[in-house]
Amino acid sequence: MRISRRSFLEALGAVGVAASFSRLGEGRAFAQTAPDYKALVCVFLFGGNDGNNMVVPLDSAGYAAYAAARGAIGAGGLALAQAQLLPLTPSSGTAAYGLHPNLPDVQTLWNDGALGVVFNVGTLLAPTTKQQFLQNSVPVPISLLSHQDQQHQWQTSLSDQYSRTGWGGRIADGLGKGPLPAVISISGNQLFTVGASTSPLSLPAAGGSFGLAGFDGSAASNARLQAMTDVRMLQEQNLIVQATQSEATAALSASKLVAPVLAGTGSTVDGLFAGLTSSLALQLKQVARMIAARQTLGVGRQIFFVSQSSYDTHNDQLNRQGALFSDLSPALKAFYEATIQLGISQQVTTFTLSDFGRTLQPASGDGSDHAWGSHHLVLGGAVKGQQTYGAFPTLQLGGPDDFTSQGRWVPTIAVDQYAATLATWFGVSAADLPTVLPYIGRYPTANLGFLG
Amino acid sequence: MTTRPSSTPARVRFHPGALPCALLLLAGALGCSSSSGTPSPDGGPALNADTVRFLEQSTFGPTEALVASVQDAGFSSFLDAQFATPASSLGTYAVNLEPPAVKCPTGSPPNCYRDSFTAFLPAVQFFHNALVGNDQLRQRVAFALSQILVVSDGEVNSTYGMADYQQLLLDDAFTNYRQILQDVTLSPAMGRYLNMVNNDKANPAKGTHPNENYARELLQLFSIGLVKLNSDGSVVTDSNNQPVATYDQSVVDGYAAVFTGWTYPTMPGVAQKPHNPTYYRGVMEAVQANHDTTAKTLLDGATLPAGQTAAQDLKGALDVLFQHPNLGPFIGKQLIQFLVTSNPSPAYVARVSAAFADNGAGVRGDLPAVVRAILLDPEARGAAQSAPSYGKLREPALLAANLARALGVQSDGVYLRNASAAMEQPVYQSGSVFNFYPPNYPLAGTTLVSPPSTLLDSTSVLTRSNFIYALLFATINPDPTIPGATGTSAPLTALGTSAADAGALADRLNALLMHGTMSQPMRQAVVNAVNAVPTTDSLDRVRAAAYVVGTSAQYQVEQ
């Protein structure tokens, strides 16, 4: 089950990757003024967001196909009413798709040109058609439809193995050493954040504390702190002990720098999050506060990970997903507005990931089951917004995109391509891209074009 | 088989260097004084290191009294007695009818939601029982089972429903795994958590298919896992060196069809309906009209004929699952990880799988035999294990309970429950069916796994230290919102008898918390911290020592 570092490197070698990295933004990325500051913000929707009810066709034929397969609400079905959908009107022409009614702020961001939608993205090992999948003529990700494995594959891009690193961490591997780890999770440990040579920082959501308590400067207290430090610095043989010591050392080091930022009450971005109490809002608020303090902290390139849970809507989906979207929508808008206020909206790109999409056909209990490809949101001043990217699947049970009979879409865009587009914008060179995304060369393009 | 405690106890007083004495003893080095000796007047009782380790693995933590008792009785007798000890109770909670339009209408008691619709109170009782219950091994195994067969109040918004489910795992902990599969499958709490309750056969008119949730997670998490395993837990690979899947979507479809036609137990005094209202007491009831009676394809080509009842299909499907060769290594390895070590050798897993396959009397799935095999295995026993890959990070609940028991903390469980939650392990309230952490979480910078390290990040590592500080130094008053609350206190009086002698204090904590593995430099650091406190202040001297040991990675990783 475990993949060693060596086999990871072999995997890289197998696709002809140079082992070394040119240093991204070296020598200037961490300058105090950081004029070229950039941040990627990953919003992971844990559980498998039902993209079929996030973006729905508005044209009569498309909506009719959707409604027929999804079934009527109140009769075990999940079809949202056509009139309730929020039109995604492009800069010219009429709206072909509508958003879930609980995403009004997302519609606003679209209308502002800051948000795009990428269709039918999923874990892949090569471009794959339904026929190829059914004939087993292309390699297929291991453990499709399993939450944990598909979460990991979205985070690592390596769908044929149990990778020990994620693509966020591998981007950070190329960044050189800064005053803080380049990757910061506000959602605890996540594979996305782990590099081959770098480790992430984990911070609490807004309101949480990040420091060591219990030392008052007395002689006894100082001696206790010294003893604790001495013990932490002892060379130990046990690898789990070593890793635990390292985590504490990293935490205490970062805490000195970050605790004052987190403890501050006067961050200029706080007001934009007023009234928002969801976990996601508090996480994004913390990200905004960290970005606001970027010059104080002396950081130039940052990757953040935040998340929302409970998208595994096997039952009662309409209420559950609706409530989740009611949290997601204002949180994304508040965060985007924070980047505008900070004058760096062009330099911060936010994007969604999720385990998988869900079956178009409802399951017993007013829900839906695990599927594969799904739609995703990209947000930021650099996003070429008010547009969709990729091909919308044919909403037909057993149709050309469904590899089962319940409406599970074979992805037409690989996670690798989605990630490569973001990484390229962030500054990873074409030459370094395969180090971050080892299988990117298998796809016709490494840039989906949603970032300018 | 009778295994007595080691006749060469490894309690040590003097360490010649940085290496634990156990290592030096393995290397044949002299100078590790390893006499069980007479305890010094101020040093507490002599503790056999292997007995301390055994109790770290089999209970919520050794106390000096328990170590002495097991030293007398022997491991095997202790296990026999534990297997026969009935379960502690997680409390008695009133049935709350659901779904009321408003769970706690205006005028309800202030903590109505917490106390009636969450697992908070049973989790508080969990920690209290961990401190004082006699069924220590049963509680440990049930806690492991609760992290394999996960149900959470994130979905089961019911205090009595959550308590009943966790009590089921306590009561079943020493039965057969087939019994557990049966009882868990028919538990209304599990039925609600993974949508087997009121799961109907495919309905062409509505365009719905049977809900796949329970089928998928039963296969993936509760029994056999995603990939074929050898009996030593290693993955079976194909000619391309890829793991071989245990099943595909068609098997999930088959099991999803099996688990149709069940509803909540019928509430007393209420007429049965095809979809009974929410009620968590008892077992789910079959509703044949909602059951899919077509033939089903199950694992590895096994089939169930058309026309069976819901109960017949359920029995047949669980029987197939129970006989699958993955079951022993899949469940056995995880139990090893929960009780003993995160990276067991393949040979260790194979020995436990063999005990799972046959308890010695031809019975498969006998959990006492599996638990005995895990705890008496050569890889579990001995004064210490020296491989750099050995051991496991103490997960928050076990860290809290182990410290509290060793230090003689008295607690109603409230503070320990809250502390564990703050350290990312809210007992009985996992964020998903995937538990607080996966069994294969990679340990950064190594080729090892360390499942509990999922919960150790730069925030929680500080929270852990702050918890230990508060436990030792703070006054934790009874929570006034909880009737009968007594608070948490650490008078530390027992250890106080060693407070005058910093070295003796360090040695006593070494024996009790670290089964003698503390190195000389670490001991010196503890001594330094203690000696910075005036000898007149024995309480603060004990606190200082316990803080330095408790916050150390050397202690927090159980080796």
Side-chain angles (χ1 to χ4, degrees), chain A residues 146 164 202 213 238 320 361 369, chain B residues 209 220 390 448 458-459 466:
Chain A
S146 153
R164 305 176 75 91
S202 173
N238 187 284
R320 288 162 190 253
Q361 183 182 56
D369 285 314
Chain B
H209 59 261
Q220 182 174 334
Y390 192 83
L448 304 176
S458 52
T459 296
N466 295 344

Side-chain angles (χ1 to χ4, degrees), chain A residues 147-415:
Chain A
H147 284 291
Q148 197 195 343
D149 298 82
Q150 295 304 303
Q151 288 165 8
H152 288 178
Q153 291 172 27
W154 267 93
Q155 295 189 23
T156 67
S157 85
L158 298 169
S159 301
D160 57 350
Q161 57 188 269
Y162 301 97
S163 172
R164 305 176 75 91
T165 62
W167 54 270
R170 294 196 298 269
I171 292 174
D173 286 343
L175 285 174
K177 192 166 166 52
L180 284 178
V183 190
I184 296 178
S185 171
I186 324 285
S187 294
N189 283 328
Q190 302 289 343
L191 267 181
F192 174 82
T193 65
V194 179
S197 61
T198 56
S199 301
L201 183 67
S202 173
L203 295 179
S209 71
F210 183 58
L212 194 61
F215 297 96
D216 61 6
S218 68
S221 159
N222 290 345
R224 183 161 48 85
L225 184 60
Q226 186 60 51
M228 185 195 199
T229 307
D230 290 346
V231 171
R232 197 177 69 250
M233 294 303 168
L234 289 176
Q235 288 283 332
E236 296 290 344
Q237 305 291 317
N238 187 284
L239 294 166
I240 308 173
V241 173
Q242 286 178 14
T244 306
Q245 289 175 308
S246 300
E247 192 68 60
T249 300
L252 288 165
S253 160
S255 166
K256 290 190 182 76
L257 209 55
V258 176
V261 172
L262 303 193
T265 52
S267 180
T268 53
V269 299
D270 285 6
L272 294 167
F273 291 87
L276 301 184
T277 56
S278 72
S279 167
L280 179 66
L282 296 177
Q283 294 173 57
L284 284 171
K285 181 177 173 183
Q286 193 74 300
V287 173
R289 294 177 73 157
M290 289 294 290
I291 293 176
R294 67 196 179 283
Q295 293 183 3
T296 309
L297 295 170
V299 293
R301 285 286 188 284
Q302 292 191 289
I303 302 171
F304 294 95
F305 186 103
V306 300
S307 69
Q308 209 186 357
S309 296
S310 304
Y311 278 94
D312 192 22
T313 50
H314 285 278
N315 74 326
D316 196 20
Q317 175 173 305
L318 291 162
N319 289 321
R320 288 162 190 253
Q321 191 189 34
L324 291 166
F325 281 172
S326 292
D327 286 341
L328 176 68
S329 182
L332 288 178
K333 180 157 174 276
F335 179 70
Y336 177 69
E337 288 177 346
T339 65
I340 290 179
Q341 182 179 296
L342 295 169
I344 53 160
S345 62
Q346 302 281 331
Q347 292 149 261
V348 180
T349 298
T350 304
F351 55 96
T352 59
L353 306 186
S354 190
D355 317 17
F356 36 58
R358 308 193 71 83
T359 56
L360 183 65
Q361 183 182 56
S364 172
D366 303 334
S368 56
D369 285 314
H370 305 181
W372 195 0
S374 190
H375 315 315
H376 287 275
L377 307 177
V378 287
L379 165 67
V383 169
K384 290 193 231 169
Q386 218 170 355
Q387 291 185 54
T388 64
Y389 295 85
F392 197 82
T394 300
L395 300 187
Q396 178 190 344
L397 303 183
D401 290 306
D402 181 7
F403 75 96
T404 60
S405 55
Q406 289 132 348
R408 292 181 168 94
W409 317 133
V410 178
T412 40
I413 291 175
V415 169

Side-chain angles (χ1 to χ4, degrees), chain B residues 240-264:
Chain B
N240 294 323
N241 203 30
Q242 287 296 297
V244 179
T246 34
Y247 54 87
D248 61 15
Q249 179 60 28
S250 71
V251 173
V252 175
D253 290 342
Y255 271 88
V258 165
F259 297 122
T260 52
W262 295 88
T263 190
Y264 287 107

Side-chain angles (χ1 to χ4, degrees), chain B residues 11-13 35-48 52 63-65 67 406 493-513 523 542:
Chain B
R11 182 160 190 251
V12 215
R13 279 306 173 88
S35 157
S36 62
T38 311
S40 64
D42 57 359
L47 303 182
N48 174 276
V52 174
T63 63
E64 287 175 342
V67 174
T493 42
L495 288 163
T497 61
S498 304
D501 178 344
L505 189 54
D507 290 341
R508 199 163 165 189
L509 291 173
N510 177 23
L512 188 56
L513 291 172
R523 181 179 184 274
V542 176

